[in-house]
Amino acid sequence: MTTNAKSAHGTTLTWNGHDVGEITEIAPPKTKLSMKEVTNNDSGGWVERIPALLDAGEFTIKGNFYEGDTDGQIALQADHIAKTARTAVITLPAAFGTSLTMTAYCTEFGLVTPQNDGGEASFEATFSITGQPTFSVATSTGLTTPFFTVSTGTILPAAAGDVYTYVVDVATGEDSITVTPTASAGTITVNGNTVSSGEASSAIALGAAGSVTIVTIVVTETNKAPKTYTLYVARAAT
Amino acid sequence: MLADLAAYLEGQGIGSTSATPPSIAVAFVPNVPDVCVMLFEYAGQTPVLTNDDQNLERPGLQVRTRAGRAGYSAAKAKAKAVEAALLNAKNTELSGTRYLSIVPTGAIAFLEWDKGGRPVLVQNFTVRKQM
């Protein structure tokens, strides 16, 4: 097994469009769904709940205090005192292609100055998020024109980059199919085998007449979420 | 790191790195002179990594101080001088590397009488420096 884990080192926070420097720790927010209890005489002896409000909550950061970080740490402290909400963006390292954008208030800001062990002066800040944060994951472009073709059969609906499920009707006499995908970027696999853009896959054996065979096309760009297209190849019974 | 600190201690009048033999020895134990300071490094603690790679490392530094036979007090005095000099090296740039602090992890301790009957004292430090 190969792990998909990646290091979070290099995660950044921008505050009002400026990087906050020398951060050593970011504890991102945990969105919480409040539940409302609606237990009643018909609940059958079990507590019943329904979803209520979502709360994006708080997040905290720690870092080495740096008095020269005027657009970052110092601006943060000023916005804290002024009670000014700003756009905050937590961006994971490029390998993730992931960021979290939100509007937040800095609700706590303080310095830590350890004396005894010669440790570096640091700062800590807490943020309270207002409204809905945007969680963004970079996605691969996927298939591009002409998307994909098949060696036999009819594709429904017409092939497109943003349609991810298809039915391919083939005649009963066909016992295999090839798929020719096209993508301007990334790696393409058909049923797990790498295929060059514009080239036909190796022949994929179809099931018995009347059966459905699933063919999967996956387009993956580096550091982006893949796009997956599923073809249900239906071999006619007669 | 050891070369930086040896040069720093020399600048503080603790001894000499260039004399033959040196009275500040980097990572070795000289036979002479009797009175000398020996610097060694060890793993220390995990580094402090920042999001923008202004990373700090926290290596360990071991300082051994030796004096002549029956020279325990002289060895102790030399060790105290080294300790004071290193404590004073906070937020200092040495040979292009920024040192935040050099702090003892404990008091000066007796290590051994060496084969020549000379007292050897030891003190360990945690160094915080730019990686």
Side-chain angles (χ1 to χ4, degrees):
Chain A
M1 287 285 280
T2 302
T3 180
N4 289 307
K6 300 170 186 173
S7 171
H9 174 58
T11 298
T12 61
L13 169 69
T14 61
W15 178 254
N16 195 27
H18 299 281
D19 281 339
V20 179
E22 302 216 13
I23 292 175
T24 55
E25 181 180 320
I26 299 177
K30 294 177 183 173
T31 303
K32 182 179 179 182
L33 173 62
S34 300
M35 300 298 290
K36 180 174 175 58
E37 186 180 329
V38 291
T39 309
N40 56 64
N41 288 343
D42 298 326
S43 295
W46 290 86
V47 171
E48 290 189 285
R49 296 183 177 91
I50 59 173
L53 296 175
L54 282 160
D55 182 359
E58 295 184 336
F59 68 98
T60 59
I61 63 171
K62 296 178 182 177
N64 300 327
F65 177 64
Y66 169 41
E67 74 289 352
D69 188 18
T70 51
D71 291 334
Q73 298 176 24
I74 305 304
L76 195 60
Q77 195 274 344
D79 287 334
H80 164 62
I81 297 299
K83 304 176 188 176
T84 304
R86 300 287 192 189
T87 299
V89 182
I90 296 173
T91 304
L92 274 65
F96 292 89
T98 300
S99 64
L100 186 64
T101 303
M102 58 226 135
T103 301
Y105 290 90
C106 178
T107 55
E108 294 179 313
F109 185 95
L111 301 182
V112 181
T113 55
Q115 303 294 313
N116 202 37
D117 66 351
E120 53 280 3
S122 60
F123 75 97
E124 298 179 359
T126 302
F127 302 84
S128 182
I129 301 166
T130 177
Q132 180 180 358
T134 303
F135 186 73
S136 170
V137 177
T139 306
S140 301
T141 304
L143 296 173
T144 52
T145 307
F147 311 109
F148 71 93
T149 60
V150 291
S151 57
T152 183
T154 305
I155 302 168
L156 289 171
D162 56 356
V163 176
Y164 301 101
T165 304
Y166 299 88
V167 173
V168 180
D169 289 320
V170 300
T172 187
E174 304 287 350
D175 61 2
S176 70
I177 192 171
T178 64
V179 176
T180 304
T182 304
S184 59
T187 301
I188 310 171
T189 63
V190 176
N191 280 4
N193 299 311
T194 302
V195 175
S196 298
S197 179
E199 302 289 330
S201 68
S202 55
I204 299 163
L206 300 179
S211 68
V212 173
T213 301
I214 296 175
V215 177
T216 304
I217 306 170
V218 180
V219 183
T220 307
E221 293 177 50
T222 303
N223 299 334
K224 293 182 179 180
K227 278 191 174 171
T228 301
Y229 302 81
T230 304
L231 282 53
Y232 295 91
V233 183
R235 183 177 178 184
T238 56
Chain B
M1 175 181 82
L2 295 183
D4 294 348
L5 297 181
Y8 169 74
L9 291 173
E10 184 173 30
Q12 298 298 306
I14 298 296
S16 171
T17 60
S18 56
T20 307
S23 55
I24 299 176
V26 174
F28 74 101
V29 179
N31 285 327
V32 289
D34 286 342
V35 179
C36 68
V37 173
M38 297 157 276
L39 305 179
F40 299 89
E41 58 192 347
Y42 58 98
Q45 301 172 25
T46 55
V48 178
L49 304 179
T50 72
N51 60 333
D52 45 3
D53 289 330
Q54 299 300 315
N55 303 323
L56 303 175
E57 61 180 359
R58 299 184 291 180
L61 169 70
Q62 184 175 82
V63 178
R64 297 183 203 173
T65 310
R66 188 181 67 199
R69 292 170 65 91
Y72 189 94
S73 296
K76 187 71 174 283
K78 179 66 76 176
K80 294 289 285 182
V82 171
E83 180 185 49
L86 293 176
L87 273 171
N88 201 37
K90 56 182 177 293
N91 298 321
T92 302
E93 187 165 313
L94 303 176
S95 305
T97 299
R98 207 156 59 79
Y99 285 75
L100 277 68
S101 62
I102 305 171
V103 176
T105 58
I108 299 164
F110 173 73
L111 181 64
E112 63 175 351
W113 301 101
D114 72 3
K115 290 177 181 174
R118 298 174 294 189
V120 180
L121 306 184
V122 66
Q123 189 173 27
N124 293 327
F125 294 80
T126 294
V127 179
R128 281 180 158 80
K129 61 188 280 285
Q130 188 127 35
M131 193 176 276

